[in-house]
Amino acid sequence: MPSPFTNGLSPVLRHLNPEVLARYRDGIASGDKTLCFGLSEPDAGSDAFGMKTRAVRSGDEWVLTGTKQWITNSPYADYAMVFALTDPEAAARHKGGVTGFFVDTRAPGFSVPRVINTMGHLGGDTGVIVLDGVRVRDEHRLGEVGRGLAGAMDCVNAGRMGMAASCLGLARWALDQALEYAKVRKTFGVPIAEHQAIQFMLADSAMDIYAAKAMIQNCAWRLDSGQASTAQVSMVKAFSTEMLGRVMDRSIQIHRGMGLTNELRLEEGYRFARVMRIPDGTGEIQRRTIARQLLTGQADL
């Protein structure tokens, strides 16, 4: 599932040893080399502490063993950011125990045996990673030992903001499509834009878009100014992805039969909108986070 950090530099810039980063930075920044973000597993999605991938210290190296799943760009990536248990007891108590590593996908034992075709991504950019005794030098560690999950979630939050912004742009595109069509399509001798039922759908979409835009801008400002924004990021992700589904649905409804074809790409957009409600934390997980922040008094509205 697409996220800005999948091919971007954020986790590497923040947590990789600067001397090691210097060797890889230009290739990644230019786009000649790409990354994937290996956190999710078959039995560990929203509950990241449930991961089973292990990293065991061996001299100045770590040996990684396990399986990652739902990893965007993994079939094509040159490098992978992989998160693994280094202290299972601490992880079981949700007290750390997870460490991140910067892994060359050409390393012996690293493989992507299966591509997962998902709705809206028939090109197959999501895959399963198998780590069979992959050796990674300690200098390629992402941050402190046992503190990898905190760094990973920082990057996931950046991805959630990017995803919300993508939804905002696509929603505006869908509304523009509906507006133009409503002005030229006629029924009962007048453009359908003159019918109140159509006007209400256009207005509802405009309100959804404006609300999402305001939320994204405010949350981005909070993040830039260093304010605690855990609840706000979850609000933005849940609202923006769900907003896109509503706007896309209304646009298809306004286009009627034309909306069910893919001549205007609305049908494709509708499938894409449905996908966005799941990666980087489902709407249900976002609501759980928001509620917990509220109950502990940490959600400044």
Side-chain angles (χ1 to χ4, degrees):
M1 311 304 177
S3 296
F5 58 73
T6 299
N7 298 306
L9 281 166
S10 296
V12 177
L13 282 173
R14 293 179 181 179
H15 305 295
L16 185 60
N17 181 309
E19 293 181 3
V20 176
L21 171 61
R23 302 204 296 265
Y24 299 98
R25 181 184 54 225
D26 292 345
I28 299 171
S30 68
D32 289 339
K33 304 294 184 179
T34 65
L35 296 152
C36 63
F37 185 82
L39 180 63
S40 297
E41 297 187 1
D43 297 316
S46 299
D47 179 15
F49 279 110
M51 71 172 62
K52 298 177 181 177
T53 297
R54 296 288 301 274
V56 178
R57 188 72 183 257
S58 176
D60 62 353
E61 294 181 325
W62 294 84
V63 181
L64 278 59
T65 304
T67 301
K68 298 293 181 179
Q69 187 166 301
W70 310 111
I71 310 305
T72 302
N73 199 52
S74 57
Y76 321 113
D78 298 283
Y79 312 114
M81 293 165 279
V82 177
F83 296 86
L85 294 177
T86 49
D87 186 343
E89 293 183 3
R93 300 193 307 271
H94 289 200
K95 299 295 183 180
V98 176
T99 304
F101 300 91
F102 182 78
V103 182
D104 190 321
T105 59
R106 298 167 299 179
F110 188 105
S111 64
V112 182
R114 186 161 70 92
V115 172
I116 306 172
N117 289 323
T118 57
M119 179 188 295
H121 294 271
L122 296 181
D125 64 354
T126 301
V128 174
I129 292 175
V130 172
L131 303 154
D132 184 9
V134 176
R135 288 185 169 269
V136 183
R137 293 186 64 83
D138 184 60
E139 64 180 8
H140 284 67
R141 181 168 26 87
L142 294 171
E144 299 177 30
V145 174
R147 299 294 302 276
L149 194 57
M153 294 313 297
D154 282 345
C155 302
V156 168
N157 282 338
R160 287 169 178 168
M161 291 297 293
M163 183 177 291
S166 297
C167 288
L168 176 63
L170 188 54
R172 182 56 197 261
W173 171 82
L175 176 58
D176 288 345
Q177 294 276 83
L179 283 167
E180 290 303 312
Y181 188 77
K183 293 174 184 177
V184 299
R185 176 72 168 97
K186 292 184 177 181
T187 61
F188 305 106
V190 298
I192 62 173
E194 295 188 20
H195 300 317
Q196 191 177 63
I198 301 298
Q199 292 175 357
F200 282 1
M201 285 191 281
L202 294 171
D204 284 341
S205 290
M207 289 191 290
D208 264 342
I209 291 170
Y210 186 70
K213 183 177 181 179
M215 290 176 69
I216 292 169
Q217 289 176 329
N218 177 263
C219 191
W221 167 76
R222 292 179 63 93
L223 289 168
D224 282 347
S225 59
Q227 298 182 50
S229 306
T230 300
Q232 287 77 9
V233 170
S234 287
M235 292 179 197
V236 166
K237 199 278 181 180
F239 184 85
S240 298
T241 55
E242 293 171 8
M243 172 278 300
L244 175 59
R246 293 191 295 270
V247 172
M248 196 64 66
D249 183 75
R250 295 186 197 110
S251 184
I252 289 175
Q253 192 70 12
I254 289 169
H255 282 82
R256 302 301 200 258
M258 281 294 295
L260 299 177
T261 72
N262 207 26
E263 286 189 37
L264 303 176
R265 301 187 71 186
L266 290 169
E267 180 266 341
E268 180 182 353
Y270 186 76
R271 286 185 285 112
F272 182 81
R274 184 60 186 87
V275 169
M276 300 295 264
R277 288 166 50 194
I278 293 178
D280 287 1
T282 64
E284 292 74 24
I285 284 295
Q286 306 308 331
R287 286 170 171 80
R288 176 176 178 264
T289 299
I290 295 164
R292 288 189 169 189
Q293 292 290 302
L294 286 170
L295 291 168
T296 56
Q298 299 180 60
D300 177 15
L301 303 179

